[in-house]
Amino acid sequence: MEIALSIPYQRCHVDDHVGTSFGSISPTLSEKRRMFILGMGFVGQSLARKLHNQGWVVSGTCTTHVKQKQLQDMGFHVHLFDAIHPDLDILRLLKNYSHILVSVPPLVGVGDPILQHKELLRSSLVNSNLQWLSYLSSTSVYGDCAGELVDEDYPTNPESELAKLRLSSEEGWSNLAHDLGISPLLFRLGGVYGPGRSAIDTIIKQKPMSEGQKRRSHRKYTSRVHVDDICQALMTTVYVPPPREVYNIVDDDPAPREEVFEYAMKLVEEKWPGLKLQSVEQRRKEWSNVNPRGEKRVCNARMKRELRLQLLFPDYKSGLKSVIDQIQSPFHCH
């Protein structure tokens, strides 16, 4: 069964900043490329649009009927995949794809929901045309490094249960890729933000902070990355195989979350001066009584050097400015 995206999407500026000139890829070459995205979340949807714009066949999965309906309304066609009661026929479909992106987080008490079926995956993919397998991980696998500069060779020391499961997922997908005779690609992402998912959106929507946001708010250093930079990193590796398997995908400025929120508040107040908002002081009350953890400055030198990546948004200020510039009205944000 083949499902192709059929969504109109204008050529994005991401295409123009990557080492490879995607515009020069011939249609006959790109038409042969087929991506299956396990986990059509925030990053997966953004990548799917960009790949579709390059002539790819793209399919993916989500986990709930509600999410499936939302994605269908956005123009996506996805398979429903329940981690507890999976339709294993979906995993058998993977043999029809040349590229697989895994963007499914592990679950406490379950582990990696896809790798629970690794033998089926291996048997389905062993004689396939798979050329590229990438797993989206997290910088949480490094644990608390006492503010040290952490590159990809720094020893992993995950502390939380989820971070430990992340590392286990990395190992599982890496082993599967090697068994299939290809090099895995492990992207350790900082906090992901972009249009519809940023400090700007949180402020405008007057949403309470999540537990993860509260935890990060007390850190001296918080690594983050704009979704467009994740996508251009992934697309670079698709067209030009990278020399290594592990890359930190973060921007140049691991700034404290409180500083980011104060800047976001400033942007919102400047653009819509009459808008009634929670003050930063009210936000600080939300942040009280939370223990700091995970202190580290994540280094992106390997990403920039080996992927030849020029970040579209090297710091939170450029990223947030781009987000707010795309919002016409605070009452109709993403």
Side-chain angles (χ1 to χ4, degrees):
M1 181 179 180
E2 174 178 320
I3 298 181
L5 291 176
S6 55
I7 49 177
Y9 192 77
Q10 294 182 345
R11 187 170 297 278
C12 175
H13 65 305
V14 169
D15 301 350
D16 301 325
H17 287 73
V18 187
T20 301
S21 174
F22 298 136
S24 65
I25 298 296
S26 68
T28 53
L29 178 61
S30 57
E31 280 170 6
K32 297 175 184 175
R33 297 178 185 270
R34 303 163 59 81
M35 174 74 75
F36 197 98
I37 301 175
L38 288 159
M40 289 280 284
F42 188 60
V43 176
Q45 290 172 35
S46 184
L47 181 67
R49 290 192 181 102
K50 291 167 173 52
L51 290 174
H52 173 74
N53 191 47
Q54 299 299 331
W56 287 60
V57 172
V58 185
S59 300
T61 67
C62 65
T63 55
T64 68
H65 288 286
V66 172
K67 185 72 176 289
Q68 186 182 38
K69 176 68 165 60
Q70 290 173 345
L71 290 167
Q72 287 171 343
D73 289 345
M74 292 165 62
F76 292 100
H77 299 281
V78 296
H79 303 277
L80 195 65
F81 190 86
D82 185 323
I84 309 302
H85 305 290
D87 178 356
L88 299 182
D89 285 338
I90 294 171
L91 297 183
R92 295 186 181 95
L93 286 176
L94 295 179
K95 67 178 180 294
N96 299 322
Y97 292 82
S98 55
H99 294 68
I100 297 173
L101 174 67
V102 186
S103 184
V104 177
L107 304 171
V108 172
V110 176
D112 191 301
I114 312 295
L115 284 176
Q116 302 301 307
H117 314 287
K118 61 187 175 188
E119 292 309 319
L120 173 60
L121 278 171
R122 185 181 286 108
S123 62
S124 297
L125 295 170
V126 68
N127 292 315
S128 70
N129 187 39
L130 186 65
Q131 304 164 23
W132 182 92
L133 176 62
S134 179
Y135 176 71
L136 297 186
S137 185
S138 165
T139 57
S140 64
V141 298
Y142 295 114
D144 188 340
C145 306
E148 287 193 44
L149 188 65
V150 174
D151 65 13
E152 291 83 351
D153 294 325
Y154 197 93
T156 52
N157 185 30
E159 297 173 328
S160 70
E161 184 62 27
L162 271 178
K164 291 174 182 175
L165 290 173
R166 276 285 187 197
L167 187 59
S168 177
S169 292
E170 280 191 13
E171 293 167 353
W173 286 107
S174 180
N175 290 338
L176 176 62
H178 285 298
D179 287 349
L180 297 170
I182 62 174
S183 293
L185 183 64
L186 307 174
F187 271 7
R188 291 172 177 165
L189 309 180
V192 181
Y193 76 101
R197 178 171 155 173
S198 72
I200 299 280
D201 297 274
T202 301
I203 289 168
I204 291 174
K205 295 174 183 176
Q206 307 281 328
K207 294 189 303 184
M209 298 178 72
S210 69
E211 289 305 309
Q213 288 174 329
K214 290 179 184 178
R215 284 195 298 271
R216 291 192 292 271
S217 68
H218 282 275
R219 294 181 192 164
K220 185 175 180 181
Y221 307 108
T222 298
S223 297
R224 60 185 57 76
V225 61
H226 193 286
V227 64
D228 281 354
D229 281 320
I230 300 171
C231 288
Q232 72 157 340
L234 285 166
M235 291 168 78
T236 300
T237 65
V238 156
Y239 289 105
V240 181
R244 315 281 187 103
E245 297 180 354
V246 181
Y247 290 91
N248 294 331
I249 308 296
V250 297
D251 68 18
D252 297 335
D253 185 14
R257 184 170 179 82
E258 185 174 344
E259 180 184 312
V260 173
F261 253 87
E262 286 178 345
Y263 181 73
M265 186 75 75
K266 175 173 168 283
L267 289 179
V268 171
E269 289 172 343
E270 285 176 355
K271 186 161 184 174
W272 301 292
L275 198 62
K276 292 184 178 180
L277 297 168
Q278 278 187 315
S279 69
V280 175
E281 287 304 319
Q282 286 175 295
R283 286 287 176 190
R284 286 195 181 108
K285 289 178 184 177
E286 292 185 41
W287 299 341
S288 61
N289 302 319
V290 182
N291 294 322
R293 69 183 193 184
E295 284 286 4
K296 55 188 166 288
R297 292 174 296 136
V298 181
C299 177
N300 63 12
R302 178 186 288 184
M303 173 194 77
K304 291 196 288 189
R305 182 180 66 251
E306 297 186 1
L307 303 187
R308 297 181 182 178
L309 209 65
Q310 178 183 339
L311 288 168
L312 299 168
F313 305 103
D315 52 44
Y316 71 86
K317 290 186 177 180
S318 58
L320 290 180
K321 188 73 170 60
S322 171
V323 168
I324 201 166
D325 285 348
Q326 296 178 51
I327 302 174
Q328 300 301 317
S329 162
F331 306 109
H332 297 94
C333 62
H334 297 270

